[in-house]
Amino acid sequence: MEALIPVINKLQDVFNTVGADIIQLPQIAVVGTQSSGKSSVLESLVGRDLLPRGTGVVTRRPLILQLVHVDPGDSRKNEDGGIEGEEWGKFLHTKNTIYTDFDEIRQEIENETERVSGNNKGITDEPIHLKIFSPHVVNLTLVDLPGITKVPVGDQPKDIEVQIKDLILKHISNPNSIILAVTAANTDMATSEALKVAREVDPDGRRTLAVVTKLDLMDAGTDAMDVLMGRVIPVKLGLIGVVNRSQLDINNKKSVADAIRDEYAFLQKKYPSLANRNGTKYLARTLNRLLMHHIRDCLPDLKARINVLAAQYQSLLSSYGEPVEDQSATLLQLITKFATEYCNTIEGTAKYIETAELCGGARICYIFHETFGRTLESVDPLGGLSTIDILTAIRNATGPRPSLFVPEVSFELLVKKQVKRLEEPSLRCVELVHEEMQRIIQHCSNYSTQELQRFPKLHEAIVEVVTSLLRKRLPVTNEMVHNLVAIELAYINTKHPDFADACGVMNNNIEEERRNRMRELPAAVSRDKVKKTVLFENQDGTGSWRGMLKKGEEAPGSGPGSPFKGAVNLLDVPVPVARKLSSREQRDCEVIERLIKSYFLIVRKNIQDSVPKAVMHFLVNHVKDSLQSELVGQLYKSGLLNDLLTESEDMAQRRKEAADMLQALQRASQVIAEIRETHLW
């Protein structure tokens, strides 16, 4: 069990080499207010003076302090450079520099703090890593955090309280950490800031150990018996009292060893029944025991986390690829892979399937059958045509002679106007498919061919070639779709089987209506008179241009005093106005409307079928078939190899960082495997 803490120290060293904080290792986080004796507790555990002292916020960066126990016989022949001495220290940021003078260690902490945090009493969350090797310490990993403060002093930032609290919470929120809450005995335990902060992340107190300092400074006539017995503030991991060196002791250079002896004497005198469960030595043993048990409990989750991260970084490193050796082969491979992924995305067989939205071929299908189909179906066959428009077209088609039947020219004129309205949604369909094929380029770049991210110039060149190819096919496809509509306009096939059937049904309906009207006429009216009424009904003025004048209104040029009074101005052009149609006019309009609607539906069905086919042939399939050859022809040139295969500036750095992290994770996995082999776990 004792060997578990060195294992964690070894893991900490592994991850320190890559400067990563992705693994939350078991450690002890020391929390307390300013002047609560927090630094004195740490120095007592080390047995040496090594921490900066002063007023205000002295600890302005987290100090990760690893205590490593070494045997006295091995201390003079340590592996870190052969420095003779029982105790020595090493900083991570100074690499292999060995410190045997603890005053130098204190000075280096101050210098490193000011280097990163500045000299304005500001704080930072970048930690200082310090390892202490000594035969007088137990194996521990401690994190000294800035003391909790309420009011900024001097040139401290106004939000110093918030900054410190956020920094403390960041470390004690680690579920693998033990919280060492330090509180002075001469303060009210019920208002302890350290315990209050600890409860925010550990409400049950399962990983909180309370330390009561300054037992010798309590008011006369009072003691800490109830506190030390856990009657005031119950903490599940326990509560330990210690006696710190006073400022006078520090000024007089009283050694930590002497202070520990005086502490033992004080506890025996003041709290004899609790002396063996309090004091600095008991605190060190308790922390060592708690940390070992905590490490044992955390190792399974720690091993699983390391394995997951190793797999993730292995995948990440693979995506970065190996350094390019054969440029020609690499370029051809990347071009081929992009072209294949582009085509597969259209076919729906891509490796990376989009789940958030339709993409590629599925979206093209949606455009054809949902967007384009619904748009065509929403086009009204008679939209934009009024009854007056139809009647005017019929009259214009009869020329100077009154017609006995509905002229066919008027039908063609009107139906062409309606069919022309199908061209705009058809061209819009081409535009939507073109946009989707542009989006497929980005989709392949982001999800399918991550290698392209290594070579930004190659990526830009591929995008340019594909975009240019799509741009060249767009006018060709638009021209074909335009021709599809023009073909329908070129010849109105009134012999179309579907149209002929509609006309037959229509003629039968018209004949039936005529017979019904004949039956409704009075018997006294002869059939010849009826025929004359039908043929010459326009002569009553309701069907002529004169019938468009309002009742009592005279023709232009025929007013009083005019030499042409009663005459008609032949140059006057009648303007259609809203009026009630005669029965024949109404019948003719209905016939034309029915014919237009019937033929329009036939053409719309043809367009709805032929436009997607044209788009697939002239745009989609053509790009699919020619993409590979187009990319090779434009990019596979010896003069472009070096330029196209130039990696992005940060790619080499990211590859190195990923490789270092993967190596660290693999070493960490080996360390944990050694624990299993030695049955420590």
Side-chain angles (χ1 to χ4, degrees):
M1 285 286 290
E2 181 67 27
L4 284 176
I5 296 178
V7 167
I8 291 299
N9 290 341
K10 189 181 294 186
L11 288 177
Q12 185 73 59
D13 293 341
V14 167
F15 292 114
N16 286 344
T17 59
V18 293
D21 194 23
I22 60 173
I23 294 290
Q24 294 180 320
L25 296 174
Q27 57 192 10
I28 300 171
V30 185
V31 182
T33 59
Q34 290 183 22
S35 304
S36 62
K38 181 167 55 68
S39 296
S40 294
V41 171
L42 290 174
E43 288 181 336
S44 297
L45 293 173
V46 177
R48 300 294 293 267
D49 293 332
L50 78 161
L51 297 178
R53 292 184 177 275
T55 59
V57 180
V58 177
T59 305
R60 295 188 287 128
R61 291 178 61 183
L63 174 65
I64 298 180
L65 180 62
Q66 292 177 259
L67 305 184
V68 182
H69 176 80
V70 294
D71 293 333
D74 297 334
S75 60
R76 295 182 181 274
K77 48 183 179 179
N78 64 77
E79 62 182 3
D80 295 304
I83 301 296
E84 292 189 358
E86 280 194 337
E87 300 172 299
W88 69 95
K90 285 178 58 178
F91 288 97
L92 177 65
H93 63 273
T94 59
K95 306 302 180 183
N96 295 323
T97 303
I98 306 299
Y99 295 85
T100 56
D101 187 344
F102 280 78
D103 289 335
E104 292 182 4
I105 292 178
R106 181 191 306 108
Q107 188 61 47
E108 181 59 31
I109 293 175
E110 293 177 355
N111 295 341
E112 180 65 10
T113 298
E114 290 189 2
R115 185 184 67 82
V116 176
S117 304
N119 53 9
N120 64 343
K121 299 298 183 180
I123 66 169
T124 180
D125 62 352
E126 183 178 342
I128 298 174
H129 293 267
L130 172 62
K131 292 180 74 173
I132 298 296
F133 299 84
S134 171
H136 308 299
V137 299
V138 295
N139 292 312
L140 286 176
T141 300
L142 302 146
V143 182
D144 185 21
L145 297 170
I148 301 171
T149 185
K150 288 294 183 181
V151 180
V153 178
D155 56 354
Q156 289 179 351
K158 293 183 178 180
D159 63 341
I160 188 70
E161 178 187 359
V162 177
Q163 290 186 30
I164 292 176
K165 184 174 181 181
D166 290 343
L167 178 59
I168 291 173
L169 289 176
K170 175 183 176 181
H171 283 269
I172 67 176
S173 296
N174 173 9
N176 293 336
S177 68
I178 293 176
I179 305 171
L180 188 65
V182 180
T183 304
N186 55 359
T187 61
D188 188 356
M189 288 290 293
T191 61
S192 169
E193 290 292 334
L195 290 174
K196 180 181 177 182
V197 172
R199 282 185 174 179
E200 291 187 26
V201 296
D202 183 33
D204 296 333
R206 295 183 180 276
R207 52 187 183 89
T208 300
L209 174 67
V211 175
V212 180
T213 63
K214 304 181 180 181
L215 291 176
D216 56 332
L217 298 182
M218 297 188 68
D219 293 337
T222 63
D223 60 34
M225 186 65 70
D226 289 340
V227 172
L228 297 178
M229 294 291 290
R231 297 169 185 163
V232 178
I233 301 293
V235 182
K236 293 190 177 179
L237 290 186
L239 193 150
I240 299 174
V242 295
V243 176
N244 304 109
R245 288 181 299 168
S246 66
Q247 189 60 48
L248 179 61
D249 293 335
I250 296 172
N251 294 339
N252 293 334
K253 304 295 184 180
K254 184 177 182 179
S255 68
V256 174
D258 291 340
I260 291 176
R261 282 195 297 270
D262 291 344
E263 175 193 52
Y264 178 75
F266 174 83
L267 291 173
Q268 288 290 346
K269 177 181 178 181
K270 189 72 175 179
Y271 305 98
S273 61
L274 301 177
N276 61 341
R277 286 184 288 149
N278 290 276
T280 300
K281 289 186 176 181
Y282 180 78
L283 174 63
R285 292 195 302 270
T286 302
L287 288 175
N288 178 263
R289 174 178 54 82
L290 290 176
L291 187 57
M292 284 191 299
H293 286 285
H294 198 61
I295 291 171
R296 183 190 61 188
D297 295 339
C298 294
L299 277 178
D301 291 339
L302 191 62
K303 180 178 184 298
R305 172 69 175 159
I306 289 174
N307 290 339
V308 169
L309 286 173
Q312 291 176 352
Y313 274 91
Q314 181 65 62
S315 176
L316 182 63
L317 188 60
S318 299
S319 69
Y320 292 155
E322 297 294 331
V324 178
E325 297 180 358
D326 189 339
Q327 290 185 330
S328 298
T330 301
L331 179 60
L332 187 59
Q333 179 185 5
L334 291 174
I335 288 175
T336 302
K337 185 170 184 180
F338 179 88
T340 302
E341 290 295 337
Y342 189 92
C343 296
N344 288 344
T345 302
I346 294 176
E347 294 296 330
T349 58
K351 181 179 179 181
Y352 296 92
I353 300 296
E354 182 67 61
T355 58
E357 60 179 352
L358 291 179
C359 177
R363 190 173 184 86
I364 292 174
C365 179
Y366 182 86
I367 291 170
F368 285 157
H369 302 292
E370 297 293 333
T371 306
F372 179 58
R374 284 201 304 265
T375 302
L376 289 187
E377 290 172 2
S378 67
V379 178
D380 184 5
L382 300 174
L385 281 182
S386 65
T387 304
I388 295 299
D389 294 335
I390 297 174
L391 183 60
T392 302
I394 293 174
R395 288 185 173 182
N396 287 337
T398 61
R401 295 173 298 279
S403 65
L404 300 177
F405 306 101
V406 178
E408 187 174 336
V409 177
S410 62
F411 161 71
E412 289 197 8
L413 177 69
L414 293 170
V415 81
K416 285 182 179 179
K417 179 181 177 182
Q418 297 307 101
V419 169
K420 183 69 174 175
R421 297 168 63 213
L422 297 176
E423 183 174 14
E424 183 180 350
S426 300
L427 293 176
R428 176 59 179 160
C429 175
V430 178
E431 183 181 350
L432 289 174
V433 174
H434 177 266
E435 290 174 359
E436 178 56 28
M437 296 191 73
Q438 287 276 29
R439 289 178 68 245
I440 296 176
I441 301 175
Q442 190 63 35
H443 173 81
C444 292
S445 301
N446 291 341
Y447 300 102
S448 304
T449 51
Q450 294 182 359
E451 293 91 339
L452 286 179
Q453 297 177 7
R454 292 178 59 191
F455 312 108
K457 291 186 178 180
L458 175 60
H459 178 251
E460 292 174 4
I462 288 177
V463 171
E464 178 60 31
V465 171
V466 181
T467 302
S468 177
L469 178 60
L470 290 171
R471 194 185 303 120
K472 286 190 295 186
R473 297 307 302 173
L474 184 59
V476 178
T477 310
N478 281 336
E479 181 66 21
M480 183 59 199
V481 170
H482 173 77
N483 288 338
L484 288 176
V485 179
I487 289 169
E488 296 291 346
L489 296 173
Y491 181 66
I492 305 301
N493 183 16
T494 56
K495 291 297 184 180
H496 191 284
D498 295 340
F499 187 70
D501 293 343
C503 289
V505 173
M506 206 173 305
N507 289 335
N508 293 337
N509 293 340
I510 293 172
E511 182 63 24
E512 182 66 26
E513 291 177 3
R514 190 185 68 79
R515 291 197 188 105
N516 291 338
R517 286 199 301 271
M518 292 293 291
R519 282 195 293 268
E520 293 172 358
L521 290 173
V525 180
S526 64
R527 185 171 298 276
D528 291 338
K529 188 174 181 180
V530 170
K531 288 182 179 179
K532 290 178 181 180
T533 303
V534 172
L535 292 176
F536 302 104
E537 62 183 349
N538 283 341
Q539 296 179 7
D540 61 359
T542 60
S544 66
W545 69 270
R546 196 178 285 275
M548 297 178 186
L549 299 175
K550 296 180 181 178
K551 188 174 182 181
E553 186 177 74
E554 296 184 355
S558 60
S562 173
F564 302 103
K565 180 175 174 58
V568 177
N569 183 0
L570 298 179
L571 297 179
D572 184 37
V573 179
V575 179
V577 296
R579 61 180 176 80
K580 185 176 181 181
L581 302 181
S582 67
S583 58
R584 177 178 176 177
E585 289 172 340
Q586 188 171 357
R587 183 193 65 203
D588 291 348
C589 289
E590 290 177 356
V591 169
I592 292 295
E593 287 178 355
R594 292 178 183 178
L595 292 175
I596 291 173
K597 186 173 183 180
S598 176
Y599 196 81
F600 180 87
L601 295 178
I602 293 171
V603 175
R604 186 173 72 182
K605 184 177 179 181
N606 293 341
I607 294 296
Q608 191 169 353
D609 179 63
S610 59
V611 168
K613 292 178 178 178
V615 174
M616 286 298 298
H617 177 73
F618 287 92
L619 181 61
V620 180
N621 290 342
H622 187 280
V623 171
K624 281 172 51 185
D625 296 339
S626 60
L627 180 59
Q628 171 82 9
S629 59
E630 190 77 13
L631 288 171
V632 172
Q634 295 285 340
L635 303 179
Y636 192 67
K637 299 176 182 178
S638 58
L640 298 177
L641 289 177
N642 288 331
D643 187 47
L644 293 178
L645 294 180
T646 300
E647 286 188 323
S648 60
E649 296 180 358
D650 62 336
M651 182 56 68
Q653 178 64 25
R654 285 192 290 175
R655 185 190 295 113
K656 181 181 183 303
E657 290 175 356
D660 291 344
M661 180 56 68
L662 179 61
Q663 187 177 8
L665 290 167
Q666 290 172 343
R667 290 203 307 269
S669 182
Q670 292 174 357
V671 170
I672 294 180
E674 293 173 2
I675 300 175
R676 282 183 174 276
E677 293 175 1
T678 54
H679 306 288
L680 293 175
W681 179 1

